[in-house]
């Protein structure tokens, strides 16, 4: 019999309150009871997104909300700037290209954050750019981008700013209105302690106006349809009823200590994970812009990352993620988002130490755990 510890950057574990909500009998959605639940969910989402903008709930994974942002705001042959510093930045380019949008691709070295000044320069060179697509936490590299700084430079132009916050929402502050983000995209299975299946999108007045004029083909993901329905606490299509009910449980839990305390907890878990990494003589993939939602750890050349991940899972029931694309086999990623607690981090570090030791890596056994515990006891 094995016990599992899920520390992957999506999906993430579910708290008992959420599991309980998911097991309730189905209710019908065209009812006052469900409209009240939708209204509460939207209010909760606005709180965590720190916005007064419209927020829509979609029945899809996070990528659905990414696609929705593209098709509602742009028409084919429009110009967009996409920031590629990892696999999820690349996804913005891929979606744009699928709809015939001209992408000005800004490539950033994987493991580095994008400099807002470089975005400013690109926008100056191409005033036709109508939208800037960026990733808040680039889950594939553990980088957090400076959205506030980016928003400042985009605000000097006519372009809209569209941010993928799929892995950061709930784990790190995203100040939609204060920073001035037109569209924020999020998903259910990362920081929000829910199963996969819901996506969220907050949309500014400016972006809604663009949605009135944009010509990209769309139907299921239409902001116009969503706006009409959500204005009366309704949904344009059958919503994922149990997930929406569970969403309120999850968001109420996240809200219960206040956002500042919530984010401080994840920051502490991130600091402890990083401290363990250094104590083990390892390095971060993104030391200058390390995200508080996921830590990407560079492995020594002679350690096979795929094997490390597999042995942690099979021997200790600890699920961490390996590297994707060009980082395959070279890194491991430990999430500290959603329903992940200090004890989970300690279990992950303990397992990492045991497996590194068994693979012949030389370090002082216990040093990582000690470093993490020192942070937690502060
Ligand atoms: C997980 C993730 C996605 C993809 O979300 P899906 O729910 O798998 O569609 C996109 N962007 C980021 C930053 C992610 O972490």
């Amino acid at each position: 019999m094995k016990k599992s510890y899920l520390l992957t950057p999506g999906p993430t574990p579910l708290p008992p309150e959420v599991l309980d909500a998911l097991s309730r009998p189905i209710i019908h959605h065209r009812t006052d009871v469900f409209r009240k639940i939708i209204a509460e969910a939207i209010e909760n989402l606005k709180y965590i997104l720190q916005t007064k903008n419209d927020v829509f709930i979609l029945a899809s994974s996070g990528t659905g909300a990414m696609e929705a942002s593209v098709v509602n705001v742009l028409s084919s042959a429009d110009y967009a700037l996409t920031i590629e510093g990892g696999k999820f930045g690349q996804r913005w380019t891929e979606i744009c290209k699928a709809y015939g949008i001209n992408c000005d691709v800004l490539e950033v070295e994987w493991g580095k954050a994008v400099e807002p000044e470089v975005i400013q320069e690109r926008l100056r060179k191409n005033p036709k750019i109508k939208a800037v697509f960026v990733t808040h936490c680039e889950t594939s590299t553990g980088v957090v981008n400076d959205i506030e700084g980016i928003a400042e430079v985009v605000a000097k132009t006519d372009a809209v700013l569209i941010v993928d916050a799929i892995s950061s929402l709930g784990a790190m502050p995203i100040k939609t209105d204060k920073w001035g983000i037109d569209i924020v995209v999020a998903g259910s299975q990362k920081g929000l302690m829910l199963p996969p299946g819901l996506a969220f999108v907050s949309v500014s007045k400016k972006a809604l106006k663009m949605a009135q004029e944009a010509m990209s083909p769309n139907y299921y993901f239409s902001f116009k349809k969503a706006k009409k329905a959500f204005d009366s606490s309704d949904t344009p299509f059958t919503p994922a009823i149990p997930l929406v009910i569970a969403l309120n449980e999850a968001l109420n839990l996240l809200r219960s200590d206040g956002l500042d305390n919530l984010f401080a907890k994840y920051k502490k878990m991130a600091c402890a994970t990083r401290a363990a990494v250094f104590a083990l003589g390892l390095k971060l993939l993104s030391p200058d812009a390390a995200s508080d939602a996921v830590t990407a750890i560079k492995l020594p050349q002679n350690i096979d990352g795929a094997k490390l991940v597999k042995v942690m899972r099979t021997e200790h029931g600890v699920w961490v993620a390996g590297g994707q694309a060009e980082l395959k086999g070279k890194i491991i990623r430990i999430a500290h988002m959603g329903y992940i607690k200090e004890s989970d981090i300690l279990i992950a570090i303990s397992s990492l130490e045991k497996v590194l030791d068994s693979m012949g890596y030389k370090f002082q056994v216990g040093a990582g755990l000690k470093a993490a515990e020192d942070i937690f006891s502060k």
Side-chain angles (χ1 to χ4, degrees), residues 272 275-277 279-280 346 349 353 363-373:
V277 168
L280 295 177
L346 292 174
I349 293 167
E353 287 199 10
F363 65 103
Q364 195 192 334
V365 175
L369 266 181
K370 167 88 174 62
E373 277 171 344

Side-chain angles (χ1 to χ4, degrees), residues 5-9 11 13 318-321 333-336 340 344-345 348:
Y5 302 88
L6 190 57
L7 289 108
T8 50
V318 172
W319 291 70
V320 297
R333 294 172 297 145
I334 300 178
H336 18 81
I340 287 173
D344 299 310
I345 299 293

Side-chain angles (χ1 to χ4, degrees), residues 9 61-64 66 88 91 135 137-139 164-167 187 189-190:
S61 82
T63 306
M66 294 174 77
F88 294 110
R91 189 164 297 180
T135 318
C137 167
E138 177 47 80
T139 320
D164 170 356
I166 292 175
S167 64
Q189 80 278 21
K190 310 267 170 109

Side-chain angles (χ1 to χ4, degrees), residues 267-321:
K267 189 179 270 302
K268 200 166 198 182
M269 284 190 265
C271 285
T273 309
R274 287 173 214 148
V277 168
F278 301 137
L280 295 177
L282 299 173
K283 290 196 173 84
L284 298 175
L285 177 68
S286 46
D288 306 323
S291 160
D292 287 343
V294 57
T295 296
I297 305 167
K298 257 202 227 171
L299 297 171
Q301 291 230 316
N302 56 342
I303 297 288
D304 173 354
K307 187 174 168 203
L308 176 71
V309 168
K310 190 170 169 209
V311 177
M312 284 177 73
R313 184 174 77 230
T314 50
E315 297 292 315
H316 306 127
V318 172
W319 291 70
V320 297

Side-chain angles (χ1 to χ4, degrees), residues 44 125 159 167 206 288 354:
N44 272 327
K125 277 201 189 131
S167 64
K206 183 172 165 185
D288 306 323
K354 283 181 192 142

Side-chain angles (χ1 to χ4, degrees), residues 22-140:
L22 289 167
S23 68
R24 288 177 210 157
I26 290 273
I27 58 169
H28 199 280
H29 54 294
R30 305 295 181 206
T31 55
D32 286 344
V33 173
F34 194 71
R35 278 185 204 102
K36 213 169 145 235
I37 290 166
I38 284 277
E40 187 188 335
I42 297 298
E43 199 277 319
N44 272 327
L45 286 165
K46 286 183 178 179
Y47 175 84
I48 201 145
L49 283 157
Q50 307 191 43
T51 189
K52 293 196 168 69
N53 286 341
D54 281 299
V55 174
F56 307 136
I57 301 171
L58 311 172
S60 75
S61 82
T63 306
M66 294 174 77
E67 181 153 343
S69 313
V70 171
V71 299
N72 280 284
V73 163
L74 297 175
S75 312
S76 73
D78 275 350
Y79 286 81
L81 176 61
T82 53
I83 320 295
E84 287 189 358
K87 191 171 177 285
F88 294 110
Q90 288 177 340
R91 189 164 297 180
W92 280 130
T93 311
E94 288 164 10
I95 297 171
C96 284
K97 287 197 170 153
Y99 287 94
I101 286 141
N102 291 307
C103 281
D104 191 344
V105 179
L106 174 49
E107 285 187 38
V108 182
E109 190 187 328
W110 287 33
K112 295 251 158 61
V114 64
E115 307 265 352
E117 298 74 36
V118 181
I119 294 180
Q120 182 164 24
E121 187 53 25
R122 285 287 181 106
L123 290 171
R124 198 186 58 75
K125 277 201 189 131
N126 186 356
K128 283 196 201 146
I129 290 170
K130 277 192 174 174
V132 177
F133 293 91
V134 67
T135 318
H136 186 201
C137 167
E138 177 47 80
T139 320
S140 62

